[in-house]
């Protein structure tokens, strides 16, 4: 039976980078006889324009029916001033929570060819390979109550709520330990347990889960220290597990160690490994329409999809090898270019990966 993949290009550079990822996916589909059927829909601002909401019910139904979802990015200045409930990012949060995609895997791998593009010294980042496991459907981005109001005094105030239940912490901790088990067997849990009640529960539950993974070495780190250690000595980390907001921030920080956020894919999985795959970056409105965005994060998201949702390891490996070969050829989009390399646009980079994959 064919496998259904729903493609949601989104906004800004989303459609540009997705066009390249789809070329690679279609070639992999043919070359490895994967039996995928692709369908397309809108999410975010594009969905606001088409359906009046950032995630239409019919799109959500298609996403539920699909075996996997590939997403570009959402958001942009065009929709910044609309009703907050209709903002593009709301569509993203809703699809993640409605599909129960609680485990966000964000690898930060430094391709040796890009050592010069990192903001840190090559010896600090050479060989970097970190996996950040971020809780994605709980915490402060979803917590209720949340409110913005005007006090009787006339002063404006706003607050959010940071809730975590034991079961939410346990299931993401289990993903963190499971990932560490098949990698370097080291898990660092990041929290703010010196201040936050939710973090104190987080730490206690992670300790409990650790008993089931005696082969994995567990450490804890406060988020402020983790932010510092990531730029001081990032290679001390193997797998990091953390909550929604801390993971959002730390994974963007980790991305810069690898040269560009344009290189980083991500997977968001439910309890059965059904997933939505997307680059870690946003819709980059500053470069949208210029044909210069880096499509590699989205192409590498295709490879994560093949690996995690479909267990197509050979095809996933081949896409990653094709990306590496293109970097070997010296081709670079602007965000990762350095002296002596050849600057190319989005489509040329996508075509080069297609050619490299075809020739494997
Ligand atoms: P961003 O990731 O879009 O851009 C940050 C910087 O990185 C920009 O200078 C951009 O040009 C650059 N960049 C990002 N992706 C790139 C790529 N593939 N190639 C080359 N350069 C790239 O973050 P932002 O500027 O904070 O947010 C812009 C919009 O994206 C906002 O509306 C935000 O809400 C949204 N956003 C969406 C997602 C998502 O869809 N998952 C994630 C983050 C931000």
């Amino acid at each position: 039976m064919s496998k259904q993949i729903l493609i949601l290009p989104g906004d800004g550079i989303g459609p540009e980078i997705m066009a390249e990822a789809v070329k690679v996916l279609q070639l992999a589909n043919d070359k490895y006889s994967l039996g995928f059927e692709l369908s397309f829909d809108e999410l975010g601002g594009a969905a606001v324009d088409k359906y009046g909401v950032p995630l239409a019910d019919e799109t959500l139904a298609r996403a539920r029916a699909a075996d996997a979802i590939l997403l570009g990015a959402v958001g942009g200045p065009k929709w910044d001033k609309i009703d907050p409930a209709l903002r593009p990012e709301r569509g993203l949060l809703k699809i993640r929570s409605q599909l129960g995609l609680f485990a966000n895997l964000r690898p930060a791998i430094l391709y040796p060819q890009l050592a010069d593009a990192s903001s840190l010294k090559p010896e600090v980042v050479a060989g970097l390979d970190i996996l950040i496991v971020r809780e994605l459907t709980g915490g402060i981005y979803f917590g209720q109550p949340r409110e913005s109001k005007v006090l009787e005094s006339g002063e404006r105030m706003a607050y959010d709520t940071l809730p975590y239940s034991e079961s939410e912490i346990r299931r993401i901790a289990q993903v963190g330990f499971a990932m560490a088990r098949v990698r370097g067997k080291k898990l660092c849990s990041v929290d703010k347990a010196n201040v936050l009640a939710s973090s104190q529960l987080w730490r206690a539950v992670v300790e409990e889960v650790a008993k089931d993974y005696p082969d994995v070495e567990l450490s804890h780190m406060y988020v402020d220290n983790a932010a510092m250690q990531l730029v001081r000595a990032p290679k001390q980390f193997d797998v990091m597990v953390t909550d929604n907001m801390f993971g959002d921030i730390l994974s963007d920080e980790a991305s810069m160690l690898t040269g560009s956020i344009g290189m980083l894919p991500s997977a968001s999985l439910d309890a059965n490994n059904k997933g939505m795959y997307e680059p870690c970056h946003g819709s980059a409105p500053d470069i949208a329409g210029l044909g210069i965005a880096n499509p590699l994060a989205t192409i590498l998201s295709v490879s994560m999809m093949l690996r995690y949702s479909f267990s197509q390891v050979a095809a996933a490996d081949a896409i990653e090898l094709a990306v590496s070969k293109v970097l070997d050829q010296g081709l670079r989009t602007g965000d990762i270019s350095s002296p002596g390399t050849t600057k190319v646009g989005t489509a040329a980079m996508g075509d080069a990966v297609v050619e490299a994959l075809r020739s494997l």
Side-chain angles (χ1 to χ4, degrees), residues 13 17 71-77 80 87 89 92 96 106 252 260-262 278-287 292-295 297 333 335:
I13 61 169
I17 52 177
L71 167 67
V74 301
D80 273 353
R87 280 188 64 122
E89 295 79 2
L92 186 56
R96 286 172 177 167
R106 295 185 161 209
D252 267 25
S260 169
I261 198 164
E278 55 179 307
C280 286
H281 59 73
S283 56
D286 54 333
I287 57 167
I292 59 172
N294 186 346
T333 43
D335 55 312

mmCIF file of all heavy atoms in Angstrom, residues 13 17 71-77 80 87 89 92 96 106 252 260-262 278-287 292-295 297 333 335, ligand 1:
data_model
loop_
_atom_site.group_PDB
_atom_site.id
_atom_site.type_symbol
_atom_site.label_atom_id
_atom_site.label_comp_id
_atom_site.label_asym_id
_atom_site.label_seq_id
_atom_site.Cartn_x
_atom_site.Cartn_y
_atom_site.Cartn_z
ATOM 1 N N ILE A 13 10.240 31.873 2.810
ATOM 2 C CA ILE A 13 11.092 30.990 2.000
ATOM 3 C C ILE A 13 10.540 29.569 1.933
ATOM 4 O O ILE A 13 11.087 28.731 1.200
ATOM 5 C CB ILE A 13 12.555 30.946 2.520
ATOM 6 C CG1 ILE A 13 12.606 30.409 3.969
ATOM 7 C CG2 ILE A 13 13.232 32.293 2.379
ATOM 8 C CD1 ILE A 13 14.012 30.098 4.454
ATOM 9 N N ILE A 17 12.238 26.570 -0.472
ATOM 10 C CA ILE A 17 13.056 25.451 0.020
ATOM 11 C C ILE A 17 12.317 24.127 -0.161
ATOM 12 O O ILE A 17 12.929 23.092 -0.433
ATOM 13 C CB ILE A 17 13.466 25.654 1.494
ATOM 14 C CG1 ILE A 17 12.251 25.962 2.364
ATOM 15 C CG2 ILE A 17 14.524 26.740 1.617
ATOM 16 C CD1 ILE A 17 12.540 26.117 3.844
ATOM 17 N N LEU A 71 7.057 19.929 6.375
ATOM 18 C CA LEU A 71 6.648 21.336 6.505
ATOM 19 C C LEU A 71 7.819 22.258 6.170
ATOM 20 O O LEU A 71 8.961 21.956 6.521
ATOM 21 C CB LEU A 71 6.196 21.565 7.960
ATOM 22 C CG LEU A 71 6.011 23.001 8.435
ATOM 23 C CD1 LEU A 71 4.852 23.661 7.709
ATOM 24 C CD2 LEU A 71 5.765 23.037 9.933
ATOM 25 N N GLY A 72 7.519 23.387 5.497
ATOM 26 C CA GLY A 72 8.547 24.394 5.236
ATOM 27 C C GLY A 72 8.715 25.277 6.468
ATOM 28 O O GLY A 72 9.411 24.915 7.418
ATOM 29 N N ALA A 73 8.069 26.416 6.478
ATOM 30 C CA ALA A 73 8.117 27.304 7.652
ATOM 31 C C ALA A 73 6.929 28.246 7.544
ATOM 32 O O ALA A 73 6.395 28.453 6.448
ATOM 33 C CB ALA A 73 9.416 28.103 7.668
ATOM 34 N N VAL A 74 6.528 28.802 8.685
ATOM 35 C CA VAL A 74 5.366 29.702 8.657
ATOM 36 C C VAL A 74 5.709 31.054 9.267
ATOM 37 O O VAL A 74 6.665 31.182 10.029
ATOM 38 C CB VAL A 74 4.151 29.104 9.407
ATOM 39 C CG1 VAL A 74 3.741 27.777 8.794
ATOM 40 C CG2 VAL A 74 4.439 28.959 10.899
ATOM 41 N N GLY A 75 4.885 32.049 8.929
ATOM 42 C CA GLY A 75 5.008 33.372 9.548
ATOM 43 C C GLY A 75 5.550 34.417 8.597
ATOM 44 O O GLY A 75 6.123 34.092 7.559
ATOM 45 N N GLY A 76 5.322 35.662 8.976
ATOM 46 C CA GLY A 76 5.842 36.758 8.162
ATOM 47 C C GLY A 76 5.146 38.057 8.509
ATOM 48 O O GLY A 76 4.073 38.055 9.120
ATOM 49 N N PRO A 77 5.760 39.180 8.123
ATOM 50 C CA PRO A 77 5.230 40.485 8.508
ATOM 51 C C PRO A 77 3.798 40.732 8.032
ATOM 52 O O PRO A 77 3.053 41.434 8.693
ATOM 53 C CB PRO A 77 6.197 41.479 7.842
ATOM 54 C CG PRO A 77 7.140 40.688 7.013
ATOM 55 C CD PRO A 77 6.990 39.243 7.354
ATOM 56 N N ASP A 80 1.599 39.809 10.864
ATOM 57 C CA ASP A 80 2.034 40.169 12.224
ATOM 58 C C ASP A 80 0.979 40.942 12.999
ATOM 59 O O ASP A 80 0.948 40.905 14.221
ATOM 60 C CB ASP A 80 3.334 40.991 12.181
ATOM 61 C CG ASP A 80 4.565 40.092 12.153
ATOM 62 O OD1 ASP A 80 4.378 38.857 12.312
ATOM 63 O OD2 ASP A 80 5.675 40.599 11.962
ATOM 64 N N ARG A 87 -2.722 34.116 14.089
ATOM 65 C CA ARG A 87 -1.334 34.248 13.618
ATOM 66 C C ARG A 87 -0.841 32.917 13.052
ATOM 67 O O ARG A 87 -1.203 31.847 13.536
ATOM 68 C CB ARG A 87 -0.423 34.686 14.767
ATOM 69 C CG ARG A 87 -0.490 36.195 15.039
ATOM 70 C CD ARG A 87 0.575 36.556 16.033
ATOM 71 N NE ARG A 87 1.894 36.309 15.483
ATOM 72 C CZ ARG A 87 2.845 37.221 15.356
ATOM 73 N NH1 ARG A 87 2.624 38.451 15.754
ATOM 74 N NH2 ARG A 87 4.018 36.907 14.850
ATOM 75 N N GLU A 89 1.818 31.255 13.405
ATOM 76 C CA GLU A 89 2.475 30.364 14.371
ATOM 77 C C GLU A 89 1.450 29.556 15.165
ATOM 78 O O GLU A 89 1.746 28.463 15.654
ATOM 79 C CB GLU A 89 3.353 31.177 15.330
ATOM 80 C CG GLU A 89 4.525 31.883 14.662
ATOM 81 C CD GLU A 89 4.184 33.185 13.934
ATOM 82 O OE1 GLU A 89 3.004 33.592 13.962
ATOM 83 O OE2 GLU A 89 5.088 33.782 13.313
ATOM 84 N N LEU A 92 0.856 26.319 13.520
ATOM 85 C CA LEU A 92 1.950 25.374 13.766
ATOM 86 C C LEU A 92 1.785 24.720 15.145
ATOM 87 O O LEU A 92 1.896 23.497 15.292
ATOM 88 C CB LEU A 92 3.278 26.133 13.678
ATOM 89 C CG LEU A 92 4.552 25.334 13.772
ATOM 90 C CD1 LEU A 92 4.600 24.243 12.726
ATOM 91 C CD2 LEU A 92 5.754 26.260 13.611
ATOM 92 N N ARG A 96 0.914 20.646 15.857
ATOM 93 C CA ARG A 96 1.789 19.851 16.731
ATOM 94 C C ARG A 96 0.978 19.238 17.872
ATOM 95 O O ARG A 96 1.120 18.061 18.188
ATOM 96 C CB ARG A 96 2.885 20.733 17.333
ATOM 97 C CG ARG A 96 3.981 21.115 16.351
ATOM 98 C CD ARG A 96 4.906 22.149 16.980
ATOM 99 N NE ARG A 96 6.015 22.497 16.109
ATOM 100 C CZ ARG A 96 6.804 23.552 16.320
ATOM 101 N NH1 ARG A 96 6.612 24.359 17.354
ATOM 102 N NH2 ARG A 96 7.809 23.805 15.500
ATOM 103 N N ARG A 106 16.175 17.525 17.388
ATOM 104 C CA ARG A 106 16.920 18.531 16.629
ATOM 105 C C ARG A 106 18.410 18.214 16.666
ATOM 106 O O ARG A 106 19.104 18.557 17.618
ATOM 107 C CB ARG A 106 16.683 19.917 17.229
ATOM 108 C CG ARG A 106 15.251 20.341 17.096
ATOM 109 C CD ARG A 106 15.062 21.751 17.591
ATOM 110 N NE ARG A 106 13.834 22.296 17.077
ATOM 111 C CZ ARG A 106 13.617 23.578 16.844
ATOM 112 N NH1 ARG A 106 14.562 24.462 17.089
ATOM 113 N NH2 ARG A 106 12.471 23.998 16.395
ATOM 114 N N ASP A 252 18.310 26.747 18.776
ATOM 115 C CA ASP A 252 18.738 27.831 17.873
ATOM 116 C C ASP A 252 20.195 28.198 18.151
ATOM 117 O O ASP A 252 20.975 28.465 17.231
ATOM 118 C CB ASP A 252 17.862 29.083 18.067
ATOM 119 C CG ASP A 252 16.684 29.097 17.098
ATOM 120 O OD1 ASP A 252 16.274 28.003 16.657
ATOM 121 O OD2 ASP A 252 16.159 30.189 16.798
ATOM 122 N N SER A 260 25.085 27.452 10.212
ATOM 123 C CA SER A 260 23.870 28.180 9.852
ATOM 124 C C SER A 260 22.646 27.385 10.253
ATOM 125 O O SER A 260 22.634 26.153 10.157
ATOM 126 C CB SER A 260 23.807 28.412 8.348
ATOM 127 O OG SER A 260 22.524 28.880 7.989
ATOM 128 N N ILE A 261 21.632 28.128 10.654
ATOM 129 C CA ILE A 261 20.354 27.483 10.948
ATOM 130 C C ILE A 261 19.777 26.857 9.675
ATOM 131 O O ILE A 261 18.937 25.967 9.727
ATOM 132 C CB ILE A 261 19.392 28.508 11.595
ATOM 133 C CG1 ILE A 261 18.247 27.801 12.298
ATOM 134 C CG2 ILE A 261 18.899 29.535 10.583
ATOM 135 C CD1 ILE A 261 17.485 28.662 13.272
ATOM 136 N N GLY A 262 20.286 27.287 8.533
ATOM 137 C CA GLY A 262 19.842 26.738 7.253
ATOM 138 C C GLY A 262 20.289 25.303 7.011
ATOM 139 O O GLY A 262 19.948 24.704 5.992
ATOM 140 N N GLU A 278 10.585 19.165 9.573
ATOM 141 C CA GLU A 278 10.701 20.566 9.131
ATOM 142 C C GLU A 278 12.091 21.089 9.466
ATOM 143 O O GLU A 278 12.739 20.600 10.394
ATOM 144 C CB GLU A 278 9.648 21.427 9.828
ATOM 145 C CG GLU A 278 9.705 21.314 11.336
ATOM 146 C CD GLU A 278 8.672 22.190 12.058
ATOM 147 O OE1 GLU A 278 8.633 23.398 11.789
ATOM 148 O OE2 GLU A 278 7.953 21.657 12.918
ATOM 149 N N PRO A 279 12.538 22.095 8.720
ATOM 150 C CA PRO A 279 13.803 22.729 9.106
ATOM 151 C C PRO A 279 13.616 23.459 10.440
ATOM 152 O O PRO A 279 12.494 23.823 10.798
ATOM 153 C CB PRO A 279 14.043 23.732 7.972
ATOM 154 C CG PRO A 279 12.695 23.997 7.393
ATOM 155 C CD PRO A 279 11.912 22.729 7.553
ATOM 156 N N CYS A 280 14.720 23.657 11.169
ATOM 157 C CA CYS A 280 14.616 24.362 12.460
ATOM 158 C C CYS A 280 14.365 25.852 12.283
ATOM 159 O O CYS A 280 13.894 26.513 13.196
ATOM 160 C CB CYS A 280 15.908 24.188 13.270
ATOM 161 S SG CYS A 280 16.071 22.556 13.969
ATOM 162 N N HIS A 281 14.685 26.365 11.097
ATOM 163 C CA HIS A 281 14.567 27.816 10.927
ATOM 164 C C HIS A 281 13.135 28.245 10.624
ATOM 165 O O HIS A 281 12.263 27.411 10.357
ATOM 166 C CB HIS A 281 15.507 28.294 9.821
ATOM 167 C CG HIS A 281 15.255 27.657 8.493
ATOM 168 N ND1 HIS A 281 14.172 27.970 7.713
ATOM 169 C CD2 HIS A 281 15.959 26.720 7.797
ATOM 170 C CE1 HIS A 281 14.228 27.270 6.589
ATOM 171 N NE2 HIS A 281 15.292 26.489 6.617
ATOM 172 N N GLY A 282 12.924 29.567 10.640
ATOM 173 C CA GLY A 282 11.614 30.116 10.321
ATOM 174 C C GLY A 282 11.499 30.466 8.850
ATOM 175 O O GLY A 282 12.261 29.951 7.998
ATOM 176 N N SER A 283 10.578 31.370 8.544
ATOM 177 C CA SER A 283 10.241 31.659 7.146
ATOM 178 C C SER A 283 11.147 32.724 6.534
ATOM 179 O O SER A 283 10.967 33.090 5.375
ATOM 180 C CB SER A 283 8.793 32.115 7.063
ATOM 181 O OG SER A 283 8.609 33.222 7.928
ATOM 182 N N ALA A 284 12.108 33.224 7.308
ATOM 183 C CA ALA A 284 13.143 34.155 6.818
ATOM 184 C C ALA A 284 12.583 35.217 5.874
ATOM 185 O O ALA A 284 13.017 35.297 4.719
ATOM 186 C CB ALA A 284 14.284 33.378 6.163
ATOM 187 N N PRO A 285 11.647 36.046 6.333
ATOM 188 C CA PRO A 285 11.048 37.031 5.421
ATOM 189 C C PRO A 285 12.078 37.966 4.807
ATOM 190 O O PRO A 285 11.861 38.484 3.703
ATOM 191 C CB PRO A 285 10.085 37.826 6.317
ATOM 192 C CG PRO A 285 10.030 37.141 7.628
ATOM 193 C CD PRO A 285 11.106 36.100 7.687
ATOM 194 N N ASP A 286 13.222 38.148 5.503
ATOM 195 C CA ASP A 286 14.242 39.073 4.977
ATOM 196 C C ASP A 286 14.853 38.592 3.668
ATOM 197 O O ASP A 286 15.388 39.394 2.902
ATOM 198 C CB ASP A 286 15.344 39.327 6.042
ATOM 199 C CG ASP A 286 15.968 38.042 6.588
ATOM 200 O OD1 ASP A 286 15.295 36.989 6.585
ATOM 201 O OD2 ASP A 286 17.125 38.099 7.028
ATOM 202 N N ILE A 287 14.779 37.286 3.388
ATOM 203 C CA ILE A 287 15.367 36.799 2.131
ATOM 204 C C ILE A 287 14.336 36.086 1.252
ATOM 205 O O ILE A 287 14.696 35.509 0.220
ATOM 206 C CB ILE A 287 16.580 35.869 2.386
ATOM 207 C CG1 ILE A 287 16.187 34.683 3.282
ATOM 208 C CG2 ILE A 287 17.741 36.640 2.983
ATOM 209 C CD1 ILE A 287 17.251 33.583 3.303
ATOM 210 N N ILE A 292 17.719 32.721 -2.566
ATOM 211 C CA ILE A 292 19.053 32.504 -1.986
ATOM 212 C C ILE A 292 19.010 31.667 -0.700
ATOM 213 O O ILE A 292 20.041 31.398 -0.098
ATOM 214 C CB ILE A 292 19.764 33.852 -1.681
ATOM 215 C CG1 ILE A 292 18.935 34.706 -0.706
ATOM 216 C CG2 ILE A 292 20.041 34.622 -2.970
ATOM 217 C CD1 ILE A 292 19.664 35.951 -0.212
ATOM 218 N N ALA A 293 17.812 31.263 -0.283
ATOM 219 C CA ALA A 293 17.705 30.501 0.975
ATOM 220 C C ALA A 293 18.382 29.144 0.836
ATOM 221 O O ALA A 293 18.415 28.554 -0.246
ATOM 222 C CB ALA A 293 16.240 30.310 1.331
ATOM 223 N N ASN A 294 18.890 28.661 1.920
ATOM 224 C CA ASN A 294 19.546 27.355 1.960
ATOM 225 C C ASN A 294 18.467 26.261 2.077
ATOM 226 O O ASN A 294 17.751 26.216 3.078
ATOM 227 C CB ASN A 294 20.481 27.319 3.175
ATOM 228 C CG ASN A 294 21.320 26.058 3.223
ATOM 229 O OD1 ASN A 294 21.047 25.103 2.511
ATOM 230 N ND2 ASN A 294 22.335 26.063 4.066
ATOM 231 N N PRO A 295 18.373 25.370 1.102
ATOM 232 C CA PRO A 295 17.336 24.325 1.186
ATOM 233 C C PRO A 295 17.799 23.069 1.927
ATOM 234 O O PRO A 295 17.043 22.113 2.057
ATOM 235 C CB PRO A 295 17.088 24.001 -0.294
ATOM 236 C CG PRO A 295 18.438 24.178 -0.929
ATOM 237 C CD PRO A 295 19.122 25.292 -0.172
ATOM 238 N N ALA A 297 18.483 22.262 5.067
ATOM 239 C CA ALA A 297 17.791 21.831 6.291
ATOM 240 C C ALA A 297 16.511 21.082 5.933
ATOM 241 O O ALA A 297 16.152 20.095 6.594
ATOM 242 C CB ALA A 297 17.473 23.034 7.177
ATOM 243 N N THR A 333 25.265 27.983 -0.293
ATOM 244 C CA THR A 333 24.365 29.133 -0.309
ATOM 245 C C THR A 333 25.003 30.232 0.544
ATOM 246 O O THR A 333 25.970 29.968 1.284
ATOM 247 C CB THR A 333 22.983 28.751 0.255
ATOM 248 O OG1 THR A 333 23.165 27.944 1.411
ATOM 249 C CG2 THR A 333 22.140 28.016 -0.782
ATOM 250 N N ASP A 335 24.421 31.791 3.260
ATOM 251 C CA ASP A 335 24.520 31.674 4.719
ATOM 252 C C ASP A 335 25.693 30.816 5.165
ATOM 253 O O ASP A 335 26.137 30.930 6.308
ATOM 254 C CB ASP A 335 23.215 31.107 5.293
ATOM 255 C CG ASP A 335 22.837 29.773 4.651
ATOM 256 O OD1 ASP A 335 22.866 29.671 3.412
ATOM 257 O OD2 ASP A 335 22.549 28.829 5.411
HETATM 258 P P1 LIG B 1 14.207 32.835 10.879
HETATM 259 O O1 LIG B 1 14.729 31.487 11.216
HETATM 260 O O2 LIG B 1 13.140 32.895 9.858
HETATM 261 O O3 LIG B 1 15.421 33.771 10.387
HETATM 262 C C1 LIG B 1 16.529 34.078 11.206
HETATM 263 C C2 LIG B 1 17.724 34.461 10.321
HETATM 264 O O4 LIG B 1 18.223 33.262 9.700
HETATM 265 C C3 LIG B 1 17.351 35.409 9.194
HETATM 266 O O5 LIG B 1 18.421 36.286 8.978
HETATM 267 C C4 LIG B 1 17.170 34.512 7.988
HETATM 268 O O6 LIG B 1 17.439 35.137 6.747
HETATM 269 C C5 LIG B 1 18.182 33.408 8.279
HETATM 270 N N1 LIG B 1 17.735 32.127 7.722
HETATM 271 C C6 LIG B 1 16.744 31.328 8.192
HETATM 272 N N2 LIG B 1 16.598 30.267 7.403
HETATM 273 C C7 LIG B 1 17.512 30.372 6.424
HETATM 274 C C8 LIG B 1 17.852 29.565 5.302
HETATM 275 N N3 LIG B 1 17.218 28.407 5.020
HETATM 276 N N4 LIG B 1 18.840 29.996 4.492
HETATM 277 C C9 LIG B 1 19.503 31.122 4.749
HETATM 278 N N5 LIG B 1 19.240 31.931 5.795
HETATM 279 C C10 LIG B 1 18.250 31.558 6.623
HETATM 280 O O7 LIG B 1 13.710 33.497 12.252
HETATM 281 P P2 LIG B 1 12.976 34.895 12.523
HETATM 282 O O8 LIG B 1 13.522 35.939 11.622
HETATM 283 O O9 LIG B 1 13.045 35.042 13.986
HETATM 284 O O10 LIG B 1 11.456 34.631 12.164
HETATM 285 C C11 LIG B 1 10.880 34.945 10.902
HETATM 286 C C12 LIG B 1 9.458 34.387 10.871
HETATM 287 O O11 LIG B 1 9.494 32.959 10.951
HETATM 288 C C13 LIG B 1 8.586 34.858 12.025
HETATM 289 O O12 LIG B 1 7.285 35.084 11.538
HETATM 290 C C14 LIG B 1 8.596 33.678 12.981
HETATM 291 O O13 LIG B 1 7.459 33.625 13.790
HETATM 292 C C15 LIG B 1 8.650 32.531 12.025
HETATM 293 N N6 LIG B 1 9.217 31.291 12.559
HETATM 294 C C16 LIG B 1 8.657 30.152 12.106
HETATM 295 C C17 LIG B 1 9.197 28.938 12.511
HETATM 296 C C18 LIG B 1 8.607 27.698 11.936
HETATM 297 O O14 LIG B 1 7.860 27.758 10.984
HETATM 298 N N7 LIG B 1 8.943 26.534 12.470
HETATM 299 C C19 LIG B 1 10.303 28.909 13.359
HETATM 300 C C20 LIG B 1 10.882 30.117 13.773
HETATM 301 C C21 LIG B 1 10.328 31.321 13.357
#
